[in-house]
Amino acid sequence: MHIADGILNLPVVAGGFVGAGAVAWYSLDRIKRRGDPREKIPRAALLTAAFFAASLIHLPLPPAGVHLVLNGLLGIMLGWFAFPAILIGLFLQAVMFGHGGLTTLGVNGLILGLPALMAWRLFHWQRDPDASPWRTGVRGMLAGSGAMVAALMLFLAALLLGLPAEYGGQASMTALMVIIGAHIPLIILEGVITTFLVVFLQRVQPRLLEGI
Amino acid sequence: MNPPAAGQALLQRWDPRFKLLGLAILVLAFAMVNDPAVLPLLLATPLVLAWFSGLAPGFILSRLRYPSLLVVLLLLWLPLAVGQTPWAALGPLTVYREGLAAALLIGGRFLGIVLSALIILHSSPLTTNIKAMRALGLPWIMVDMALLTLRYLQVLGHDLRQMRLAMRSRGWTGNRLGLRNLRIIAWLTGSLLLRSHERADGIYRAMRLRGYGQPGSQHHDFRAGGLDYLLLVITLAVALVIILLSLELFPV
C-alpha cells in the first residue's frame, strides 16, 4: 500500500510532508514529555527492525502472494513511537529496496502512521490487562483490520486528491473498486495475524502489549 | 572516456548535507513537471548524475528491479481508459493520446526521481546520509532510531532466516493459507519481536557504557568547501530550469 514517486501532484506531495512533519513533531513532543526517551530508543528501534523484517514474510495468497503490513500491531506496541518508526521504515524501504517513494514519504507516512496511532488507541481503550485471551484477540482483530481499512481509505483519498481531475470518470471509479476488492483479503489476513500475535504475546510476555 | 573510479567520483566527494539538499530540490522540481516535452531533460539529469557517481550501471539498474505495482498498473491503464482523442488501435482496444501523455508523465517522473535518489543516496554510506540529516536538523530521536534500526536490520533478518530454516527442517512448508499456517506465521513473528525486545535492554546498557547521551556525542564532522557550494548552485540552476519549463514560462 505504497504510492510511488511520480504519481501524485505537487500540492498533495507537499501537503503530505507538512502533515507527516506535524504528526511526527507531535509524537516526539509526547515522547519527550514522558521523561528521558534514551532508554526507550533501542527498544523502539529494534522493534522497528523486527517489524521491517516481518514485513518481508511472504504469504501465499493467490494470484501473486502478499506481504504483511502490521501497522496496527506496530501502533499497539510502540504507541507514540509508531509514527516515527513508520517514517524510518518507509525511508529505509525506499533507499534499500526502491519500494514506495521519497517524494511520497510524507503521504505514505500518513497512510500507514495515522491508522497505527488509531489502532493503538482502539486496542488500549478501557482495556483490562488481565482480560481473557479471547477478549484480547477480539481487540487485536479490530485493531489489525481497522488499521488496514483506515490505511486503505487514506490511500484512496490520496490517489483521488493527487491524480489530475481529467483522469476521473467511470473508468477511475472502476479502478478504485478493483483496488478496494484486491485489499479485502489483506484486511482479513492482517486482522487474523494480529489476533494470533496479541494472544501469543499476552501469554508469553504481556508487558510487550503495554507499549514501550 | 570511462566514468570516474569509486571513491574519487565527484558525487562521492560532495558534502552529504549539500547532496541531500540538492536531492530534495531536484526531486521536488521533477514532481512539478506536467509537460511531456520536459521529460528528456528530466531523464538526462540522472544520466549525468550516474556519470559522476562512480557507481556501476549494473548496480543502479539492479536497484530498479522492484518498480511499484501501482505505477505499472497506471502505465497500462491510463492510455486505454483516459482521453477522447484516439491515437492507435490495438485490436479491440483504443489507445488515447491524452492517456498516453499522462502515462509518459508518470513513468518519466517516476524514473527521474527514483534514479536520481538511488544515485545520490548510494554515493555515500546510508549511515553518513542519516548523520547528514541530523546535521540538517532532523530530530535526534529519529536519527538514533534510524541508525539503530539500520544496524539491527541485518541481525534480525538473519534471525528470521534461521527460524524459518528451523521450521522447514521440521517439515513446515507454509505454501497453503490455512488458519494453522497463519497461526504459525504469527508465532514466528511474535518470537522475532520477543527476541528484539530482550536484546534491546542489553544494547542500551552497552551504549550507555560507550558514552551514549553524553554531551558532545551528537557532534558531526562535516566541512563544506567551495566545490560543495558550487555543486549545490548547479543543482539549483537545473531545478530552476525544469520548474520554469514546467510552468511554461519558456515553452519547449
Side-chain angles (χ1 to χ4, degrees), chain A residues 4-6 10 38-39 41 43 45-46 52 59 61 91 95-97 102 167 196-197 200 204-205 207-208, chain B residues 32 63 66 68 102 109-110 113 117 122 133 140 149 153 156 177 185-187 190 194 196-197 201 204 213:
Chain A
D5 288 311
L10 192 63
R38 284 189 175 83
E39 190 175 352
I41 286 174
R43 220 174 292 159
L46 263 78
F52 192 104
L59 294 181
L61 181 74
F91 173 73
V95 175
M96 294 169 73
F97 302 118
L102 284 177
Y167 297 1
F196 284 137
L197 265 163
F200 172 82
V204 179
Q205 183 63 277
R207 195 163 64 95
L208 267 174
Chain B
M32 286 182 75
R63 297 278 153 167
Y66 306 107
S68 164
R109 286 191 308 226
F110 172 76
I113 294 170
H122 282 92
M133 287 178 195
W140 65 269
T149 302
L153 205 52
L156 292 172
L177 201 66
I185 289 168
W187 288 350
L194 275 174
S196 61
H197 187 262
D201 291 335
Y204 175 67

Side-chain angles (χ1 to χ4, degrees), chain B residues 112-132:
Chain B
I113 294 170
V114 169
L115 282 173
S116 301
L118 275 175
I119 293 163
I120 290 182
L121 291 172
H122 282 92
S123 62
S124 300
L126 193 47
T127 48
T128 308
N129 285 330
I130 294 171
K131 285 173 186 166

Side-chain angles (χ1 to χ4, degrees), chain B residues 154-163 192 195 199:
Chain B
Q154 285 188 337
V155 177
L156 292 172
H158 179 257
D159 282 2
L160 182 64
R161 276 193 298 277
Q162 281 204 322
M163 288 156 75
L192 191 69
R195 279 183 184 215
R199 193 175 266 152

Side-chain angles (χ1 to χ4, degrees), chain A residues 2-8 10 13 24 28 31-32 36-39 41-54 56-61 68 70 73 77 81 84-85 87-88 91-92 95-99 102-103 155 159 163 166-167 171-172 175 179 189 192-193 196-197 200-201 204-205 207-208, chain B residues 23 27-28 31-32 63 66 68 70-71 74 77-78 81-82 102 105-106 109-110 113-114 117-118 121-122 126 130 133 139-142 144-146 148-150 152-153 156-157 160 164 174-177 179 182-183 185-194 196-201 203-204 207-208 212-213 218:
Chain A
H2 291 134
I3 299 181
D5 288 311
I7 295 176
L8 302 178
L10 192 63
V13 167
L28 295 175
I31 289 167
K32 285 177 193 162
D36 187 1
R38 284 189 175 83
E39 190 175 352
I41 286 174
R43 220 174 292 159
L46 263 78
L47 285 172
T48 306
F51 275 106
F52 192 104
L56 302 176
I57 296 175
H58 180 87
L59 294 181
L61 181 74
L68 292 171
L70 293 176
L73 187 72
M77 292 177 68
F81 277 98
L87 284 181
I88 289 165
F91 173 73
L92 293 179
V95 175
M96 294 169 73
F97 302 118
H99 281 197
L102 284 177
T103 56
F155 174 77
L159 280 184
L163 286 171
E166 56 264 32
Y167 297 1
S172 298
I179 291 174
L189 273 179
V192 173
I193 292 269
F196 284 137
L197 265 163
F200 172 82
L201 291 174
V204 179
Q205 183 63 277
R207 195 163 64 95
L208 267 174
Chain B
L23 174 64
V27 296
L28 284 176
M32 286 182 75
R63 297 278 153 167
Y66 306 107
S68 164
L70 189 61
V71 171
L74 279 171
W77 170 73
L78 282 171
V82 171
L105 264 177
I106 286 179
R109 286 191 308 226
F110 172 76
I113 294 170
V114 169
L118 275 175
L121 291 172
H122 282 92
L126 193 47
I130 294 171
M133 287 178 195
W140 65 269
I141 294 179
M142 291 189 71
D144 288 358
M145 273 180 72
L148 275 169
T149 302
L150 188 61
Y152 284 95
L153 205 52
L156 292 172
L160 182 64
R164 295 182 77 180
N175 52 8
R176 293 179 66 181
L177 201 66
L179 266 184
L182 287 180
R183 193 170 57 200
I185 289 168
W187 288 350
L188 169 73
T189 309
S191 303
L192 191 69
L193 293 171
L194 275 174
S196 61
H197 187 262
E198 285 161 5
R199 193 175 266 152
D201 291 335
I203 290 169
Y204 175 67
M207 285 165 64
R208 290 293 287 184
Y212 177 62
Q218 301 280 346

Side-chain angles (χ1 to χ4, degrees), chain B residues 78-80 82-83 96-104:
Chain B
L78 282 171
L80 301 174
V82 171
Y96 294 99
R97 189 181 294 275
E98 296 86 351
L100 189 64
L104 279 175

